[in-house]
Amino acid sequence: YPFIKLLNGQVDPYVLALIRYGVASAILALFVLRSSHVTFPQQKDWALFMVLGFLGAFTTVLIALGVQYSTASASSILVNTNPLMVVLLAPILIHERTKDVQLVGVILGIIGIVVVVLNGKALALSAYGAGSILLLGAAMCQAFYAIYMKPLIRQYGALMTSTAMAVVGFLELVVVVLFRGSMGQVFIFTSGQWLLLFLIGSVSTAVGSYLWIQSLGKLSATASTSFKLLIPVFATLYATVFLGEQLTPWILGGMLCTTIGIVLAQSKNLS
């Protein structure tokens, strides 16, 4: 979020997503080539990889677009409603059983996110306009992404799955960016913009996606996705440490609320 917000309005959202997935694909592909224990996707699973790769890439586009038309607070809250969507969709789509305590945990975690991001301030309803719809769409994409990726992780492993998703997403974005005629923008970026884009692609996408997908193979879709509730919390901490923003009681209370919510959401895996 901090990096995308810094690039807000400077980079076409589709180009941002293209470079993000291009950098991630290159880094993850290097790890695949160095690994001797990878299973390449079978033809019967190509269609699912293509759909999920599109959802993953399109999520970045929706977030980048949504941030432009909404506040940073609303963006963090709305995108991170995806754990609640997973709790609601997983029993229907993949028959994953969810305890009542897990539902309470996810709701409590979302309340913590609201407390942290709002930081004791009121949120104007105007922030939920067109940008809010785009951000909720991103959250829904992430929910489907998490749910349907689990069987692929079990079969191919986290590394191969995350690499294939990144490569497919990148190739699909190449077609979209070429069709939109915005490919020329990549030749006029400043060094600062390239640095931010590289960090988004390497740290936020390649490393972050691999670790999260690794957790999806070991935990339920609900529990794994609940960890993403920490994204706004860490974003707030980074802003406090590096930008000198004040760490208020609202932020501390929200972090505690989110932590308790995550523990409850994982109760099935901890028992």
Side-chain angles (χ1 to χ4, degrees), residues 22-265:
V23 172
S25 298
I27 293 174
L28 291 169
L30 290 176
F31 283 105
V32 168
L33 293 175
R34 290 174 60 88
S35 176
S36 57
H37 304 287
V38 293
T39 303
F40 288 90
Q42 300 177 14
Q43 187 172 355
K44 64 181 180 64
D45 295 319
W46 287 0
L48 183 56
F49 272 106
M50 291 180 66
V51 172
L52 293 181
F54 172 79
L55 284 177
F58 193 57
T59 296
T60 299
V61 175
L62 289 175
I63 293 173
L65 287 170
V67 168
Q68 293 183 19
Y69 299 106
S70 185
T71 66
S73 298
S75 300
S76 298
I77 295 168
L78 293 174
V79 172
N80 285 280
T81 59
N82 71 85
L84 181 56
M85 295 181 184
V86 170
V87 172
L88 298 175
L89 292 174
I92 301 173
L93 298 177
I94 59 174
H95 308 292
E96 187 173 276
R97 301 180 66 179
T98 303
K99 295 181 179 180
D100 292 339
V101 68
Q102 290 180 288
L103 179 59
V104 172
V106 173
I107 294 174
L108 184 61
I110 292 175
I111 292 173
I113 292 298
V114 173
V115 173
V116 168
V117 178
L118 293 185
N119 196 18
K121 300 177 182 178
L123 182 65
L125 293 177
S126 59
Y128 285 103
S132 297
I133 296 175
L134 293 171
L135 293 165
L136 284 171
M140 183 63 73
C141 286
Q142 289 182 340
F144 281 102
Y145 189 79
I147 291 171
Y148 285 109
M149 193 185 296
K150 287 181 67 64
L152 297 178
I153 298 169
R154 295 192 185 102
Q155 183 171 357
Y156 301 110
L159 178 59
M160 188 67 250
T161 302
S162 55
T163 303
M165 295 295 184
V167 171
V168 169
F170 171 71
L171 293 177
E172 291 173 339
L173 284 166
V174 167
V175 176
V176 173
V177 171
L178 287 174
F179 179 79
R180 286 171 49 85
S182 52
M183 185 66 77
Q185 192 177 54
V186 302
F187 301 106
I188 59 174
F189 289 147
T190 65
S191 57
Q193 290 172 332
W194 271 115
L195 176 60
L196 288 174
L197 289 168
F198 178 78
L199 290 174
I200 291 172
S202 58
V203 179
S204 302
T205 307
V207 177
S209 296
Y210 171 73
L211 292 176
W212 181 62
I213 290 174
Q214 181 90 355
S215 75
L216 272 175
K218 300 180 183 298
L219 303 174
S220 68
T222 300
S224 297
T225 310
S226 295
F227 274 103
K228 302 188 80 173
L229 289 166
L230 289 170
I231 293 174
V233 176
F234 281 114
T236 303
L237 287 175
Y238 295 155
T240 302
V241 174
F242 298 109
L243 301 179
E245 295 184 2
Q246 184 180 5
L247 184 61
T248 66
W250 288 94
I251 295 176
L252 292 174
M255 290 173 61
L256 177 61
C257 185
T258 302
T259 302
I260 296 173
I262 290 173
V263 171
L264 291 176

